[in-house]
Amino acid sequence: MDAALRDLGELISASLGDAVSDFHVRNGELAVEVKRDSIVKVLSFLRDDVNCQFKLLVDICGVDYPSEEERFEVVYNLLSLTHNIRVRVKITTDEDTPVPSVIDVYNSANWMERETWDMYGIYFTGHPDLRRILTDYGFEGHPLRKDFPLTGYVELRYDDEQKRVVYEPVKLTQDFRSFDFLSPWEGVQSQLPGDEKADSTVDGGKGDAV
């Protein structure tokens, strides 16, 4: 199987030339790294070429590597039902550089690109309706970025007086607590409530227990 995937990777690389930066086969999966501006060309080839026929776009997802110069990866997972084989296509971008939309290649990319924009803030040029899809329209930030705070920036609640949902700055209502012991396990009682009943049952038994 790995040999067949390597052959496919070499075919894709040879056919697309400079559009393909690299490819590799790991754990029985083929991953192809391509140049950002060539993504439409690459996916069109993978869909239409007789040796590929990746007619199904399974999903599009983002990956965040904050330490990298181009911190985001956009990953396209494709499936060929004809050849019963998968390929993963990767491109990279930063916070300011948009990625070409692939809606004209795969119509199903519409909501997938919207989700990637919502979660990571990766902008797709040529998308007809790029807006949030999982978070609310007034949501601040992009939740799957590594630098997004775990508490978020705002919280929402229903206001009885205004009779609507309102947004407010995050408030951590739980006070800081200081423990006297070094480990939380040191604070556990050696005998939990109710254990004394079990002890008395054993002590008062008639030897029935083995």
Side-chain angles (χ1 to χ4, degrees):
M1 186 61 179
D2 285 357
L5 291 175
R6 275 191 287 271
D7 291 342
L8 179 59
E10 291 175 358
L11 170 68
I12 295 171
S13 181
S15 301
L16 294 170
D18 293 340
V20 176
S21 303
D22 192 15
F23 75 89
H24 56 265
V25 177
R26 294 175 184 165
N27 301 319
E29 297 180 344
L30 171 64
V32 181
E33 299 173 8
V34 307
K35 294 182 178 178
R36 178 175 54 249
D37 295 337
S38 301
I39 187 61
V40 173
K41 173 184 176 181
V42 171
L43 294 191
S44 298
F45 172 83
L46 293 176
R47 182 194 63 185
D48 300 333
D49 184 80
V50 66
N51 295 306
C52 300
Q53 299 193 48
F54 291 97
K55 304 292 186 181
L56 181 60
L57 174 64
V58 178
D59 64 17
I60 301 174
C61 57
V63 187
D64 186 12
Y65 300 101
S67 61
E68 300 292 334
E69 182 177 353
E70 292 192 338
R71 63 182 289 183
F72 298 117
E73 272 190 357
V74 183
V75 183
Y76 304 80
N77 291 300
L78 309 177
L79 170 64
S80 172
L81 296 174
T82 302
H83 300 297
N84 189 27
I85 199 169
R86 297 174 184 267
V87 64
R88 180 175 295 120
V89 180
K90 299 180 180 181
I91 61 175
T92 60
T93 189
D94 54 31
E95 298 180 38
D96 302 317
T97 306
V99 173
S101 173
V102 298
I103 288 181
D104 291 339
V105 184
Y106 296 102
N107 190 48
S108 60
N110 190 328
W111 282 17
M112 299 177 188
E113 290 179 350
R114 284 180 59 188
E115 181 178 351
T116 306
W117 154 250
D118 193 1
M119 296 292 103
Y120 291 93
I122 300 171
Y123 190 84
F124 293 88
T125 57
H127 193 288
D129 187 24
L130 192 62
R131 55 192 169 93
R132 293 188 182 274
I133 190 172
L134 296 180
T135 61
D136 197 1
Y137 298 122
F139 191 87
E140 297 182 18
H142 304 281
L144 291 187
R145 287 188 176 186
K146 295 289 180 62
D147 52 7
F148 187 82
L150 295 178
T151 58
Y153 295 108
V154 295
E155 59 186 0
L156 59 87
R157 66 177 178 83
Y158 182 79
D159 189 287
D160 287 328
E161 295 181 358
Q162 302 183 51
K163 302 300 181 184
R164 66 181 181 87
V165 173
V166 297
Y167 285 88
E168 296 176 335
V170 173
K171 298 177 182 178
L172 301 178
T173 56
Q174 183 177 4
D175 295 331
F176 176 77
R177 294 180 294 174
S178 178
F179 297 94
D180 295 332
F181 37 84
L182 297 178
S183 168
W185 295 109
E186 297 177 19
V188 177
Q189 302 176 20
S190 59
Q191 186 178 53
L192 297 176
D195 286 352
E196 66 279 0
K197 298 179 181 179
D199 292 340
S200 62
T201 302
V202 172
D203 295 339
K206 301 299 183 180
D208 296 334
V210 177

